[in-house]
Amino acid sequence: MKRPTPEAVAARAGVSRSTVSRVVNGQTTVTADIRELVMRAVNELGYVPNGAARNLATQRTNSVALVVSESPNRVFSDDPMFSTVIRSAGLELEAVNKQVVLLLAGSPESHARVENYIAGGHVDGVMLVSSHGGGPAETVIMPTELAVRASS
């Protein structure tokens, strides 16, 4: 089954594609009756905005990496510190409509993978966690543009 497009929503609601975009993005420049028509069409068609397209347009991913510089065995063991940090980060980010992305950097290979993922712009910010220090995550470098986006 094909995903409904903004054009299909616009046709169903009898409005332009740009009006659909304004409604879906929460802009207040659309009257209440038009907003209702568009939202009815969205619901009827099951339209969900394309996250990848939105990320390209906004230059934001709405996700933050939680980089844990420990081996997976240690992270998922009986140590309650990691589960508390992961749960707390998830709750705080959820409160501001952001997603936590858990990245494990417990080896030099995974450290390089994490650096590439971050540098690729897949997240808006980075939180580094290690209970022992001296791990590979301490050398993860956040690109300047990522640091700027994360602080805004």
Side-chain angles (χ1 to χ4, degrees), residues 100-123:
V100 66
V101 177
L102 179 62
L103 301 174
L104 302 177
S107 70
E109 295 80 18
S110 61
H111 173 247
R113 179 183 43 78
V114 166
E115 273 190 353
N116 288 335
Y117 188 83
I118 292 168
H122 296 285
V123 293

Side-chain angles (χ1 to χ4, degrees), residues 18-37:
S18 59
T19 298
V20 171
S21 178
R22 284 193 294 274
V23 170
V24 170
N25 290 315
Q27 293 181 11
T28 58
T29 58
V30 180
T31 64
D33 56 330
I34 298 294
R35 180 176 304 282
E36 186 179 321
L37 280 173

Side-chain angles (χ1 to χ4, degrees), residues 20-118:
V20 171
S21 178
R22 284 193 294 274
V23 170
V24 170
N25 290 315
Q27 293 181 11
T28 58
T29 58
V30 180
T31 64
D33 56 330
I34 298 294
R35 180 176 304 282
E36 186 179 321
L37 280 173
V38 171
M39 290 311 296
R40 188 176 317 130
V42 163
N43 292 330
E44 289 171 359
L45 294 172
Y47 172 73
V48 177
N50 182 315
R54 180 174 279 173
N55 292 350
L56 283 172
T58 64
Q59 295 290 300
R60 294 213 176 253
T61 65
N62 289 321
S63 61
V64 175
L66 177 62
V67 180
V68 180
S69 180
E70 295 288 341
S71 72
N73 292 342
R74 188 159 177 83
V75 173
F76 299 108
S77 70
D78 294 334
D79 186 344
M81 190 277 291
F82 290 113
S83 63
T84 300
V85 168
I86 293 167
R87 184 175 51 252
S88 298
L91 288 171
E92 291 300 317
L93 289 169
E94 184 179 313
V96 293
N97 203 28
K98 305 285 184 223
Q99 182 66 43
V100 66
V101 177
L102 179 62
L103 301 174
L104 302 177
S107 70
E109 295 80 18
S110 61
H111 173 247
R113 179 183 43 78
V114 166
E115 273 190 353
N116 288 335
Y117 188 83
I118 292 168

